[in-house]
Every structure is written in C-alpha cells, then in structure tokens.
C-alpha cells in the first residue's frame, strides 16, 4: 500500500473469507493514472538482409490513463553488418492490472548503415575487376530510415514504482521488405508521481 491512491481505496481491504475480492485488490493497478517514468530496454533484432543484432533503448513513458501510455526513447541497434541510431516512440493500450498484457503501435526515425549482398547489382563493389561475383557486398548508408510497427507484450509491476516489460515488434521500414526487422526485448522502468 505504498501508493496513496491505492491505500485510500483499499484501506479497509477485503476480508480473508472473500478470495475473489482479495484477487481483485491484489491485481488492481488503476492507481497508475498520470505517473511518469524512465526505462531501459534491451533485446535482439533480426533483419533478413543482414541477420541478427542487439538493441538498446533509453526512454521516458507517461500513463495518460491507467490503461493507455505514450513513450519516447533514444534507440540503437547494432550487429556485425548493421548500425541504426534514432528516435523511437509509440502508444500502448493495456489492462489496468499488475500483470498487464498490451498491444501498441509506434514509429522510428533515424539513420542506418548496413552491409548488403551485391551479387546482382551490375557493379564492381569490391574493386577487383569482377562484376557481380559470388560473395560481393556493398555498404548502404541511409541518412533517414523510417519505420512503423505493431507491438505486443506484457508488463509486470514488481512494486508500485518498478515495472518489468517484455515485448515483440515487427518494424516495417522505408527501405523495403528485405530491411523489415523483428524485435524481441525486455525492459525495466522506474516510475514516480
């Protein structure tokens, strides 16, 4: 009962002989309305044209209501053959419970560098006098990479201030379907009133 709104609502609490009311009280997270927090997330990304990478996000999140949040972060994705840096943001619709599944949508804008297969581009990319040879690669640099994504996941409130999150996203990029990215990750957020 650290949260004052929660403490006021459940000061008397449910009786021991009322298990359904006890479960409702234990899972209620409607006290979240209006709180702000910071978070860090990390995970794995997979792009079919360059393979796997790691992702890190540092951001802020705000509860507009107990069931709707908006968030913004600085995001970096890095692998052997790729690097993306930019801004990410989105909204999440969730249940107002301590274990809260959510569905969301978001977007990313940033810059991207990646090494891609160049066997069929009609150029001598490695400068050895042969065009479109087996294993030939090229480096692509996009000053502006834009992506939108749907997102599914779940939050678990460890305490009224500490939240754990797991999520999955499918990022649809402006570079075409070969650059679309699957993301799986988890995070830790700390909130304050």
């Amino acid at each position: 009962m650290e949260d004052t709104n929660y403490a006021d609502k459940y000061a008397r609490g449910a009786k021991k002989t009322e298990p359904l009311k006890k479960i409702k009280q234990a899972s209620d997270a409607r006290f979240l309305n209006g709180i702000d927090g910071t978070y860090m997330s990390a995970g794995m990304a997979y792009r079919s044209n360059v393979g796997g990478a790691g992702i890190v996000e540092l951001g802020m999140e705000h509860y507009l209501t107990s069931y709707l949040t908006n968030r913004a972060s600085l995001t970096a994705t890095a692998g052997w053959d790729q690097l993306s840096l930019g801004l990410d943001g989105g909204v999440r619709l969730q249940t107002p419970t301590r274990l809260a599944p959510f569905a969301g949508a978001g977007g990313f804008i940033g810059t991207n560098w990646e090494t891609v297969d160049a066997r069929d581009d009609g150029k001598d990319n490695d400068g050895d006098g042969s065009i479109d040879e087996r294993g030939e690669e090229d480096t692509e640099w996009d000053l502006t990479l834009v992506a939108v994504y749907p997102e599914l996941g779940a939050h678990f409130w460890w305490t009224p201030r500490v939240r754990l999150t797991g999520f999955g996203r499918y990022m649809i990029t402006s570079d075409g379907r070969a650059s679309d990215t699957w993301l799986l990750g988890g995070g830790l957020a700390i909130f304050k009133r």
Side-chain angles (χ1 to χ4, degrees):
M1 298 223 183
E2 295 173 36
D3 185 271
T4 55
N5 293 343
Y6 184 85
D8 290 345
K9 182 173 183 175
Y10 292 111
R12 294 180 55 198
K15 297 176 184 173
K16 291 180 183 179
T17 57
E18 300 174 319
L20 293 178
K21 287 184 179 179
K22 280 279 195 201
I23 291 170
K24 177 186 178 284
Q25 179 180 334
S27 65
D28 188 359
R30 288 177 286 175
F31 62 86
L32 301 172
N33 189 21
I35 67 172
D36 297 302
T38 57
Y39 68 90
M40 182 180 140
S41 298
M44 297 297 294
Y46 178 78
R47 228 183 246 177
S48 63
N49 63 346
V50 291
I55 181 170
V56 175
E57 294 180 318
L58 297 171
M60 299 182 326
E61 190 164 2
H62 174 71
Y63 273 80
L64 301 166
T65 69
S66 61
Y67 56 86
L68 183 65
T69 68
N70 64 352
R71 59 185 181 72
S73 68
L74 295 172
T75 302
T77 305
W80 292 112
D81 294 324
Q82 73 183 69
L83 175 66
S84 297
L85 299 169
L87 300 173
D88 187 282
V91 295
R92 292 171 170 164
L93 182 63
Q94 61 204 19
T95 60
T97 55
R98 300 231 177 202
L99 176 60
F102 65 82
F108 171 87
I109 185 165
T111 186
N112 184 62
W113 165 87
E114 63 189 17
T115 301
V116 296
D117 182 13
R119 282 182 291 188
D120 298 321
D121 67 352
K123 299 177 186 173
D124 178 15
N125 296 296
D126 56 8
D128 67 355
S130 298
I131 295 173
D132 292 342
E133 63 202 306
R134 186 180 184 119
E136 191 170 28
E137 295 179 330
D138 191 16
T139 300
E140 292 182 355
W141 180 262
D142 295 322
L143 289 176
T144 305
L145 175 71
V146 177
V148 295
Y149 57 84
E151 177 182 43
L152 291 175
H155 300 307
F156 176 71
W157 286 90
W158 190 260
T159 72
R161 293 187 61 229
V162 178
R163 188 191 73 193
L164 304 174
T165 300
F167 61 88
R169 299 175 185 156
Y170 182 71
M171 300 186 74
I172 303 162
T173 70
S174 56
D175 282 352
R177 300 303 62 87
S179 292
D180 287 358
T181 306
W182 286 97
L183 293 173
L184 289 174
L188 171 69
I190 308 293
F191 287 84
K192 61 181 174 31
R193 281 221 177 261

